Amino acid sequence: MQPRLICLAIAVLCAWCGVVHADEQTEAQLLQRLEQQEERIKVLERKLEIQDETARTAAEGAPVVKASTKGFSFQSADGANQVRLRGLIQADGRFLVEDAGLGGVDTWQLTRVRPIIEGTLYNFVDFRFTPDFGQGRTVIQDAYLTARFSPALRLTAGKFKSPFGLERLQSAYDIRFVARAFPTSLAPNRDIGLNFEGDLFGGKLNYALAYANGVIDGGSSEALGDVDVDDKKDWIARLFTQPFADADSFALRGLGFGIAGSYLKQTGTAAQPLLPAFRTSPQQTFFRYRSGATPTIADGERLRYSPQFYYYVGSCGLLGEYVQVSQEVARTTTAGTRRATINTNAWQLAAAWFVTGEEETFRGYTPNSTFIPGQSWGALELVARYHELDINDEAFAGGGASFADPTVSASKAASLEIGINWYLNQNLKWELDYGVTRFDGGTATGDRDDEKFFLTRFQLGF
Amino acid sequence: MSDHRYTRRLVLTAALALVVPFPAVHAATTVTLLNVSYDPTRELYVDYNAAFAKYWKAKTGQDVKFNQSHGGSGKQARTVIDGLAADVVTLALAADIDAIATLGKLLPLNWQSRLPHNSSPYTSTIVFLVRKGNPKGIRDWGDLVKPGISVITPNPKTSGGARWNYLAAWAWALRQPGGSDQSAEDFVRRLYKNVPVLDTGARGSTTTFVQRGIGDVLLAWENEALLAIRELGSDKVQIVVPSLSILAEPPVAVVDKVALRHGTRDVAQAYLEYLYSKEGQDIVARNYYRPRDPEVAAKYANRFPQLELVTIADFGGWAKAQRTHFAAGGVFERIYAP
């Protein structure tokens, strides 16, 4: 074979070997690259897993912040600790068509301006702090701790609503009239002490037993400087049942009734008589005990009791209570010291009807719609009540030595009020009440003239 | 005594009588302990808790229930500081319990002296877990920085085991000819360049290596490596013992403030003390931790390879090691960028 041919053959053979070898290398490289890509994918997937796990763990331990129509809250991840911020602002108007000679003035006022701080610690202790900046004052309305040992036993210490009056126990946010009724004028408001309370029989029976400083009828402890004036304490007890709370019958579920009582022995002084004055819904004072140099003072036992009930079915609700207070009083004049037991009683029957079909309840309300101009109107409620307060004639007997001056103080006030409440949404409410109050006595010549009034309220609550 | 003072005392006594017995009633029958532990001890405490509950019931008549929390040691310590109510902590290294004492103020600063062996009832060390047959030929620390080698180790910021791994690597590098802090830093920098995934804890790294099949070598607690072989089989993975490693001393402590609040101080103390008992040490060894008790150690000697070990004292103690290497601005933050 010629050398040229041999060289050509060799060259062709080498080229062919190079091609084969290059293919093999490319395949090996491709396989390696594939393995590397697979490894990278596995690594990325694992990193994503770790990232998800870390985010999940962080979320589990992260505090929960909420903002809703019920206020603002900060809560630990496990819910055992939380702080809630709520508030209540009530801007009221009081307009007297007839002031019954009591001298009241028409006025706008901020009745309640309350930031409310409440919460729970360790899922065991609840707390509440409510300062109030309304009416030109700063008052601590609530400041208490409640230890929840079980549903059947809660212990509250601090300043709290006395477990007595039914309407008083209804939140200011929920009351259906601008002013509370006469029975609440006889019930204690906020007091300082201890309260044992619990729910029995699946929540159908609530009991409360409080041992507190004692406050005057309708009053709160800040009127006495948030301290007691003597060693004697007020015992307050209440039983309230909703026996048909889980009944099959829809009509009976909303029925609740109970009785409350309180007992205190106390002695007032000229500087601090420890006796109440009574006011009408527009806050006009129509009864007070004699004051001045020879005042009437509390001197002995004060016994209160109050049967009470409510009934809610569908869009209608009825609330009623009766309060009687038997108070031993004394007055020292130049003629000597007179003592007597003065019985004061008050009762009310209040009805409410959600025209727009919402459910009436003792606590809270939920409008079916919110006010959007041109689209929806929120909830509308019509309310009416009759309430009266009667001081027995013993208070006025004795002429100049009487415990109360019949030429100034009425022995009875009876009021009929109607109203309309417009709930724009869960948080905004507008109220308008019209009422007429009739008096027995109260002037030198006989019965005081009727009082006629309008009350209105613009309320923001959350 | 006047009526009102008598009444007042009666009411206050009644209030106290209602409040005081409530915790006592519960303490008499059942008590629950929360043990916040590091990542790989799950199996250990399943066995140990059952044994202790039986022992305590026989001794006191009281039932003990356990809640366990596991995770990276550093992460667990921070969780306790932030409020997780641990009755006891059983973590990977003393620095994490030191943090609970100094930052959380939940136990005294001298906690480590309250139990034998500096409160470490067992020890462990760091070994390599490789694929069966060791296809990448990994023999020692120096092989980990070769190109193409993928190393699995957790994040030292969250994992106690990861910190032991790091320090073992550093110690090896220091021992090499011309070894210095600079060369050791350079070595760990190259090592972490070969780490594709940083899990938060040792168990996570085991999952990455064993179940996800990622990496050529896992730097593992010895007990994790032995457990992996037991669970997976010796036909899947094998252990490579490096020439040098570190004596890891996981400590335990009662979290006093929490235990006192829960009324579990006595049982928590007994729970940790029982780790030092013969039965406790046997359980420890059966779960592949190196027991302190010489008799138990002799019984399980074949299970644990002999190797040269440095200790944390060689680094000046945990406080110094933590400050130098793992704290903000430390060496690890300098050498590792995700």
Side-chain angles (χ1 to χ4, degrees), chain A residues 39 42-44 46-47 49-50 53-54 57 122 149-150 153 155 194 196 211 231-233 235, chain B residues 4-5 7-8 11-12 15 18-19 22 75 196-200 204 207-208 212-215:
Chain A
E39 187 75 7
K42 279 196 281 189
V43 166
L44 282 170
R46 182 61 183 153
K47 281 185 173 175
E49 268 180 49
I50 293 167
E53 203 178 290
T54 306
T57 307
Y122 299 103
F149 295 101
S150 72
L153 178 62
L155 172 61
L194 292 177
F196 297 83
Y211 181 67
D231 290 342
K232 303 185 182 73
K233 298 288 173 278
W235 285 95
Chain B
H4 58 270
R5 286 211 174 90
T7 307
R8 185 171 59 205
V11 166
L12 288 171
L18 278 165
V19 170
F22 266 86
K75 191 161 74 76
V197 178
L198 276 183
D199 284 272
T200 56
T207 300
T208 298
R212 301 291 181 269
I214 297 171

CSV table of all heavy atoms in Angstrom, one decimal, chain A residues 39 42-44 46-47 49-50 53-54 57 122 149-150 153 155 194 196 211 231-233 235, chain B residues 4-5 7-8 11-12 15 18-19 22 75 196-200 204 207-208 212-215:
chain,number,residue,atom,x,y,z
A,39,GLU,N,-28.9,17.0,43.0
A,39,GLU,CA,-28.4,17.4,44.3
A,39,GLU,C,-28.8,18.8,44.7
A,39,GLU,O,-29.3,19.1,45.8
A,39,GLU,CB,-26.9,17.3,44.4
A,39,GLU,CG,-26.3,17.5,45.8
A,39,GLU,CD,-26.5,16.3,46.7
A,39,GLU,OE1,-26.9,15.2,46.2
A,39,GLU,OE2,-26.1,16.4,47.9
A,42,LYS,N,-32.5,18.8,45.5
A,42,LYS,CA,-32.7,18.3,46.9
A,42,LYS,C,-32.3,19.3,47.9
A,42,LYS,O,-33.0,19.5,48.9
A,42,LYS,CB,-31.9,17.0,47.1
A,42,LYS,CG,-32.5,15.8,46.4
A,42,LYS,CD,-31.9,14.5,47.0
A,42,LYS,CE,-30.5,14.2,46.3
A,42,LYS,NZ,-30.0,12.9,46.7
A,43,VAL,N,-31.2,20.0,47.7
A,43,VAL,CA,-30.8,21.0,48.7
A,43,VAL,C,-31.8,22.1,48.8
A,43,VAL,O,-32.2,22.6,49.9
A,43,VAL,CB,-29.4,21.6,48.3
A,43,VAL,CG1,-29.1,22.8,49.1
A,43,VAL,CG2,-28.3,20.5,48.5
A,44,LEU,N,-32.3,22.6,47.6
A,44,LEU,CA,-33.3,23.7,47.6
A,44,LEU,C,-34.6,23.3,48.3
A,44,LEU,O,-35.2,24.0,49.1
A,44,LEU,CB,-33.6,24.1,46.2
A,44,LEU,CG,-32.5,25.0,45.5
A,44,LEU,CD1,-32.8,25.2,44.1
A,44,LEU,CD2,-32.5,26.4,46.2
A,46,ARG,N,-34.9,21.0,50.6
A,46,ARG,CA,-34.6,20.9,52.0
A,46,ARG,C,-34.6,22.3,52.7
A,46,ARG,O,-35.1,22.5,53.8
A,46,ARG,CB,-33.3,20.2,52.3
A,46,ARG,CG,-32.9,20.0,53.7
A,46,ARG,CD,-34.0,19.1,54.4
A,46,ARG,NE,-33.7,19.0,55.8
A,46,ARG,CZ,-34.5,18.8,56.8
A,46,ARG,NH1,-35.8,18.7,56.5
A,46,ARG,NH2,-34.2,18.7,58.1
A,47,LYS,N,-34.0,23.3,52.0
A,47,LYS,CA,-33.9,24.6,52.5
A,47,LYS,C,-35.3,25.2,52.7
A,47,LYS,O,-35.6,25.9,53.7
A,47,LYS,CB,-33.1,25.5,51.6
A,47,LYS,CG,-31.6,25.4,51.8
A,47,LYS,CD,-30.8,26.4,50.9
A,47,LYS,CE,-29.4,26.3,51.2
A,47,LYS,NZ,-28.5,27.2,50.4
A,49,GLU,N,-38.0,23.4,53.2
A,49,GLU,CA,-38.6,22.7,54.3
A,49,GLU,C,-38.2,23.4,55.6
A,49,GLU,O,-39.0,23.6,56.5
A,49,GLU,CB,-38.1,21.3,54.4
A,49,GLU,CG,-38.9,20.3,53.7
A,49,GLU,CD,-38.3,18.9,53.8
A,49,GLU,OE1,-38.0,18.5,54.9
A,49,GLU,OE2,-38.2,18.2,52.8
A,50,ILE,N,-36.9,23.7,55.7
A,50,ILE,CA,-36.4,24.3,57.0
A,50,ILE,C,-37.0,25.7,57.2
A,50,ILE,O,-37.3,26.0,58.3
A,50,ILE,CB,-34.8,24.4,56.9
A,50,ILE,CG1,-34.2,23.0,57.0
A,50,ILE,CG2,-34.3,25.2,58.1
A,50,ILE,CD1,-32.7,22.9,56.6
A,53,GLU,N,-40.5,25.3,58.4
A,53,GLU,CA,-40.5,24.8,59.7
A,53,GLU,C,-40.2,26.0,60.7
A,53,GLU,O,-40.8,26.1,61.7
A,53,GLU,CB,-39.5,23.7,59.9
A,53,GLU,CG,-39.7,22.8,61.0
A,53,GLU,CD,-38.6,21.7,61.0
A,53,GLU,OE1,-38.6,20.9,60.1
A,53,GLU,OE2,-37.7,21.8,61.9
A,54,THR,N,-39.2,26.8,60.3
A,54,THR,CA,-38.8,27.9,61.1
A,54,THR,C,-40.0,28.9,61.2
A,54,THR,O,-40.3,29.4,62.3
A,54,THR,CB,-37.6,28.6,60.6
A,54,THR,OG1,-36.5,27.6,60.4
A,54,THR,CG2,-37.1,29.7,61.5
A,57,THR,N,-42.7,27.5,63.5
A,57,THR,CA,-42.3,27.6,64.9
A,57,THR,C,-42.4,29.0,65.4
A,57,THR,O,-42.9,29.3,66.5
A,57,THR,CB,-40.9,27.1,65.1
A,57,THR,OG1,-40.8,25.8,64.5
A,57,THR,CG2,-40.5,27.1,66.6
A,122,TYR,N,-51.9,34.2,82.8
A,122,TYR,CA,-51.7,32.8,83.1
A,122,TYR,C,-53.0,32.1,83.0
A,122,TYR,O,-53.2,31.0,83.5
A,122,TYR,CB,-51.2,32.6,84.5
A,122,TYR,CG,-49.8,33.2,84.7
A,122,TYR,CD1,-49.6,34.4,85.4
A,122,TYR,CD2,-48.7,32.6,84.1
A,122,TYR,CE1,-48.4,34.9,85.6
A,122,TYR,CE2,-47.4,33.2,84.3
A,122,TYR,CZ,-47.3,34.3,85.0
A,122,TYR,OH,-46.1,34.9,85.1
A,149,PHE,N,-60.9,30.2,90.0
A,149,PHE,CA,-60.5,28.9,90.5
A,149,PHE,C,-61.3,27.8,89.7
A,149,PHE,O,-60.7,26.8,89.4
A,149,PHE,CB,-60.8,28.7,92.0
A,149,PHE,CG,-59.9,29.7,92.8
A,149,PHE,CD1,-60.4,30.9,93.3
A,149,PHE,CD2,-58.6,29.4,93.0
A,149,PHE,CE1,-59.6,31.7,94.0
A,149,PHE,CE2,-57.8,30.2,93.7
A,149,PHE,CZ,-58.3,31.4,94.2
A,150,SER,N,-62.5,28.1,89.4
A,150,SER,CA,-63.3,27.2,88.7
A,150,SER,C,-64.6,28.0,88.2
A,150,SER,O,-64.8,29.1,88.7
A,150,SER,CB,-63.7,26.0,89.5
A,150,SER,OG,-64.7,26.4,90.5
A,153,LEU,N,-66.4,29.1,91.3
A,153,LEU,CA,-65.8,29.9,92.3
A,153,LEU,C,-64.8,30.9,91.6
A,153,LEU,O,-63.8,30.5,91.0
A,153,LEU,CB,-65.0,29.1,93.3
A,153,LEU,CG,-64.3,30.0,94.4
A,153,LEU,CD1,-65.3,30.9,95.2
A,153,LEU,CD2,-63.5,29.1,95.4
A,155,LEU,N,-62.9,34.7,92.7
A,155,LEU,CA,-62.7,35.6,93.8
A,155,LEU,C,-62.2,36.9,93.2
A,155,LEU,O,-61.2,37.0,92.6
A,155,LEU,CB,-61.7,35.0,94.8
A,155,LEU,CG,-61.2,36.0,95.9
A,155,LEU,CD1,-62.4,36.4,96.8
A,155,LEU,CD2,-60.1,35.3,96.7
A,194,LEU,N,-64.2,42.4,98.7
A,194,LEU,CA,-64.0,41.0,98.2
A,194,LEU,C,-65.3,40.5,97.7
A,194,LEU,O,-66.4,40.8,98.3
A,194,LEU,CB,-63.5,40.1,99.2
A,194,LEU,CG,-62.1,40.2,99.8
A,194,LEU,CD1,-61.8,39.2,100.9
A,194,LEU,CD2,-61.1,40.1,98.7
A,196,PHE,N,-67.1,36.9,96.3
A,196,PHE,CA,-67.0,35.5,95.9
A,196,PHE,C,-68.2,35.3,95.0
A,196,PHE,O,-69.3,35.6,95.3
A,196,PHE,CB,-67.2,34.6,97.1
A,196,PHE,CG,-66.1,34.7,98.1
A,196,PHE,CD1,-66.1,35.7,99.0
A,196,PHE,CD2,-65.0,33.8,98.1
A,196,PHE,CE1,-65.0,35.8,99.9
A,196,PHE,CE2,-64.0,33.9,99.0
A,196,PHE,CZ,-64.0,34.9,99.9
A,211,TYR,N,-68.2,41.2,100.4
A,211,TYR,CA,-67.9,41.8,101.7
A,211,TYR,C,-67.1,43.1,101.4
A,211,TYR,O,-66.0,43.1,101.0
A,211,TYR,CB,-67.1,40.9,102.6
A,211,TYR,CG,-66.7,41.3,103.9
A,211,TYR,CD1,-67.7,41.5,104.9
A,211,TYR,CD2,-65.4,41.6,104.3
A,211,TYR,CE1,-67.4,41.9,106.2
A,211,TYR,CE2,-65.1,42.0,105.6
A,211,TYR,CZ,-66.1,42.2,106.5
A,211,TYR,OH,-65.8,42.6,107.8
A,231,ASP,N,-65.5,50.9,110.8
A,231,ASP,CA,-65.1,49.5,110.7
A,231,ASP,C,-66.2,48.6,110.1
A,231,ASP,O,-65.9,47.5,109.8
A,231,ASP,CB,-64.7,49.0,112.1
A,231,ASP,CG,-63.5,49.6,112.6
A,231,ASP,OD1,-62.7,50.1,111.8
A,231,ASP,OD2,-63.2,49.6,113.9
A,232,LYS,N,-67.3,49.1,110.0
A,232,LYS,CA,-68.4,48.3,109.6
A,232,LYS,C,-68.5,48.1,108.1
A,232,LYS,O,-68.1,48.9,107.4
A,232,LYS,CB,-69.8,48.9,110.1
A,232,LYS,CG,-69.7,49.2,111.6
A,232,LYS,CD,-71.0,49.6,112.1
A,232,LYS,CE,-71.0,49.9,113.6
A,232,LYS,NZ,-70.2,51.1,114.0
A,233,LYS,N,-68.8,46.9,107.8
A,233,LYS,CA,-68.8,46.5,106.4
A,233,LYS,C,-70.2,46.1,105.9
A,233,LYS,O,-71.1,45.7,106.6
A,233,LYS,CB,-67.8,45.3,106.1
A,233,LYS,CG,-66.4,45.7,106.5
A,233,LYS,CD,-65.8,46.6,105.5
A,233,LYS,CE,-64.4,47.1,105.9
A,233,LYS,NZ,-64.4,48.2,106.9
A,235,TRP,N,-72.5,43.5,103.8
A,235,TRP,CA,-72.6,42.2,103.2
A,235,TRP,C,-73.6,42.3,102.1
A,235,TRP,O,-74.7,42.8,102.2
A,235,TRP,CB,-73.1,41.2,104.2
A,235,TRP,CG,-72.1,40.8,105.2
A,235,TRP,CD1,-72.0,41.3,106.5
A,235,TRP,CD2,-71.2,39.8,105.1
A,235,TRP,NE1,-70.9,40.7,107.1
A,235,TRP,CE2,-70.4,39.7,106.3
A,235,TRP,CE3,-70.9,38.9,104.1
A,235,TRP,CZ2,-69.4,38.8,106.5
A,235,TRP,CZ3,-69.8,38.0,104.3
A,235,TRP,CH2,-69.1,37.9,105.5
B,4,HIS,N,-67.6,43.4,114.5
B,4,HIS,CA,-67.1,43.7,113.2
B,4,HIS,C,-65.7,43.1,113.0
B,4,HIS,O,-65.3,42.7,111.9
B,4,HIS,CB,-67.2,45.2,112.8
B,4,HIS,CG,-66.4,46.1,113.8
B,4,HIS,ND1,-67.0,46.6,114.9
B,4,HIS,CD2,-65.2,46.5,113.7
B,4,HIS,CE1,-66.1,47.3,115.5
B,4,HIS,NE2,-65.0,47.2,114.9
B,5,ARG,N,-64.8,43.2,114.0
B,5,ARG,CA,-63.5,42.7,113.9
B,5,ARG,C,-63.5,41.2,113.7
B,5,ARG,O,-62.8,40.6,112.9
B,5,ARG,CB,-62.6,43.0,115.1
B,5,ARG,CG,-62.2,44.5,115.1
B,5,ARG,CD,-60.8,44.7,115.7
B,5,ARG,NE,-60.4,46.1,115.6
B,5,ARG,CZ,-60.7,47.0,116.4
B,5,ARG,NH1,-61.4,46.8,117.5
B,5,ARG,NH2,-60.3,48.3,116.2
B,7,THR,N,-66.0,39.5,112.5
B,7,THR,CA,-66.5,39.2,111.1
B,7,THR,C,-65.4,39.3,110.1
B,7,THR,O,-65.2,38.5,109.2
B,7,THR,CB,-67.7,40.1,110.8
B,7,THR,OG1,-68.6,40.0,111.8
B,7,THR,CG2,-68.3,39.7,109.5
B,8,ARG,N,-64.6,40.4,110.2
B,8,ARG,CA,-63.5,40.6,109.3
B,8,ARG,C,-62.6,39.5,109.3
B,8,ARG,O,-62.1,39.0,108.2
B,8,ARG,CB,-62.9,42.0,109.7
B,8,ARG,CG,-61.8,42.4,108.7
B,8,ARG,CD,-61.3,43.8,109.0
B,8,ARG,NE,-60.8,43.9,110.4
B,8,ARG,CZ,-60.8,45.1,111.0
B,8,ARG,NH1,-61.3,46.2,110.6
B,8,ARG,NH2,-60.2,45.1,112.3
B,11,VAL,N,-64.0,36.4,107.6
B,11,VAL,CA,-64.0,36.5,106.1
B,11,VAL,C,-62.7,36.3,105.5
B,11,VAL,O,-62.5,35.6,104.6
B,11,VAL,CB,-64.6,37.9,105.6
B,11,VAL,CG1,-64.3,38.1,104.2
B,11,VAL,CG2,-66.1,38.0,105.9
B,12,LEU,N,-61.6,36.9,106.1
B,12,LEU,CA,-60.3,36.8,105.6
B,12,LEU,C,-59.8,35.3,105.7
B,12,LEU,O,-59.2,34.8,104.8
B,12,LEU,CB,-59.3,37.7,106.3
B,12,LEU,CG,-59.6,39.2,105.9
B,12,LEU,CD1,-58.7,40.1,106.8
B,12,LEU,CD2,-59.2,39.4,104.5
B,15,ALA,N,-61.4,33.3,103.1
B,15,ALA,CA,-60.8,33.5,101.8
B,15,ALA,C,-59.5,32.8,101.6
B,15,ALA,O,-59.2,32.1,100.6
B,15,ALA,CB,-60.6,35.0,101.6
B,18,LEU,N,-59.9,29.0,101.2
B,18,LEU,CA,-60.3,28.6,99.9
B,18,LEU,C,-59.1,28.6,99.0
B,18,LEU,O,-59.0,27.8,98.1
B,18,LEU,CB,-61.4,29.6,99.4
B,18,LEU,CG,-62.8,29.3,99.8
B,18,LEU,CD1,-63.7,30.4,99.5
B,18,LEU,CD2,-63.3,28.0,99.2
B,19,VAL,N,-58.3,29.6,99.1
B,19,VAL,CA,-57.2,29.8,98.2
B,19,VAL,C,-56.0,28.8,98.4
B,19,VAL,O,-55.5,28.2,97.5
B,19,VAL,CB,-56.7,31.2,98.2
B,19,VAL,CG1,-55.4,31.4,97.4
B,19,VAL,CG2,-57.7,32.2,97.7
B,22,PHE,N,-55.9,24.9,97.3
B,22,PHE,CA,-56.1,24.5,95.9
B,22,PHE,C,-54.8,23.9,95.3
B,22,PHE,O,-54.9,22.8,94.7
B,22,PHE,CB,-56.6,25.7,95.1
B,22,PHE,CG,-58.1,25.7,95.0
B,22,PHE,CD1,-58.9,26.3,96.0
B,22,PHE,CD2,-58.7,25.1,93.9
B,22,PHE,CE1,-60.2,26.3,95.9
B,22,PHE,CE2,-60.1,25.1,93.8
B,22,PHE,CZ,-60.9,25.7,94.8
B,75,LYS,N,-31.7,27.6,70.4
B,75,LYS,CA,-33.1,28.1,70.2
B,75,LYS,C,-33.9,27.7,71.4
B,75,LYS,O,-34.7,28.5,71.9
B,75,LYS,CB,-33.6,27.4,69.0
B,75,LYS,CG,-34.9,27.9,68.5
B,75,LYS,CD,-35.1,27.5,67.0
B,75,LYS,CE,-35.5,26.0,66.9
B,75,LYS,NZ,-36.8,25.7,67.3
B,196,PRO,N,-24.1,22.8,52.2
B,196,PRO,CA,-25.2,23.3,51.4
B,196,PRO,C,-26.4,23.7,52.2
B,196,PRO,O,-27.1,24.6,51.8
B,196,PRO,CB,-25.5,22.2,50.5
B,196,PRO,CG,-25.1,20.9,51.3
B,196,PRO,CD,-24.0,21.3,52.1
B,197,VAL,N,-26.6,23.1,53.3
B,197,VAL,CA,-27.9,23.3,54.1
B,197,VAL,C,-27.5,23.4,55.6
B,197,VAL,O,-26.8,22.6,56.1
B,197,VAL,CB,-28.9,22.2,53.9
B,197,VAL,CG1,-30.1,22.4,54.8
B,197,VAL,CG2,-29.3,22.0,52.5
B,198,LEU,N,-28.0,24.5,56.2
B,198,LEU,CA,-27.8,24.6,57.7
B,198,LEU,C,-29.1,24.4,58.4
B,198,LEU,O,-30.0,25.2,58.4
B,198,LEU,CB,-27.2,26.0,58.1
B,198,LEU,CG,-25.8,26.3,58.0
B,198,LEU,CD1,-25.5,27.7,58.4
B,198,LEU,CD2,-24.9,25.3,58.8
B,199,ASP,N,-29.3,23.2,59.0
B,199,ASP,CA,-30.5,23.0,59.8
B,199,ASP,C,-30.4,23.7,61.1
B,199,ASP,O,-29.4,24.1,61.5
B,199,ASP,CB,-30.7,21.5,60.0
B,199,ASP,CG,-31.1,20.7,58.8
B,199,ASP,OD1,-32.4,20.6,58.6
B,199,ASP,OD2,-30.3,20.3,58.0
B,200,THR,N,-31.6,23.8,61.8
B,200,THR,CA,-31.6,24.5,63.0
B,200,THR,C,-31.1,23.6,64.2
B,200,THR,O,-30.7,24.1,65.2
B,200,THR,CB,-33.0,25.0,63.4
B,200,THR,OG1,-33.9,23.9,63.4
B,200,THR,CG2,-33.5,26.0,62.4
B,204,GLY,N,-32.4,17.7,62.7
B,204,GLY,CA,-32.7,18.2,61.4
B,204,GLY,C,-31.6,17.8,60.4
B,204,GLY,O,-31.9,17.4,59.3
B,207,THR,N,-31.9,14.3,59.5
B,207,THR,CA,-32.9,14.1,58.5
B,207,THR,C,-32.4,14.5,57.1
B,207,THR,O,-32.7,13.8,56.1
B,207,THR,CB,-34.1,15.0,58.9
B,207,THR,OG1,-34.6,14.6,60.2
B,207,THR,CG2,-35.3,14.9,57.9
B,208,THR,N,-31.7,15.6,57.0
B,208,THR,CA,-31.2,16.1,55.7
B,208,THR,C,-30.3,15.0,55.1
B,208,THR,O,-30.4,14.7,53.9
B,208,THR,CB,-30.4,17.4,55.9
B,208,THR,OG1,-31.3,18.4,56.4
B,208,THR,CG2,-29.8,17.8,54.6
B,212,ARG,N,-33.2,12.7,53.4
B,212,ARG,CA,-33.3,13.5,52.1
B,212,ARG,C,-32.1,13.1,51.2
B,212,ARG,O,-32.1,13.5,50.1
B,212,ARG,CB,-33.2,15.0,52.4
B,212,ARG,CG,-34.4,15.5,53.3
B,212,ARG,CD,-35.7,15.5,52.5
B,212,ARG,NE,-36.8,16.0,53.4
B,212,ARG,CZ,-37.5,15.2,54.2
B,212,ARG,NH1,-37.3,13.9,54.3
B,212,ARG,NH2,-38.4,15.8,55.0
B,213,GLY,N,-31.1,12.4,51.7
B,213,GLY,CA,-30.0,11.9,50.9
B,213,GLY,C,-29.1,13.0,50.4
B,213,GLY,O,-28.5,12.9,49.4
B,214,ILE,N,-29.0,14.1,51.2
B,214,ILE,CA,-28.2,15.2,50.8
B,214,ILE,C,-26.8,15.1,51.6
B,214,ILE,O,-26.8,14.9,52.8
B,214,ILE,CB,-28.9,16.6,51.2
B,214,ILE,CG1,-30.2,16.7,50.4
B,214,ILE,CG2,-28.0,17.7,50.8
B,214,ILE,CD1,-31.0,17.8,50.8
B,215,GLY,N,-25.8,15.4,50.8
B,215,GLY,CA,-24.4,15.5,51.5
B,215,GLY,C,-23.7,14.2,51.4
B,215,GLY,O,-24.2,13.1,51.2
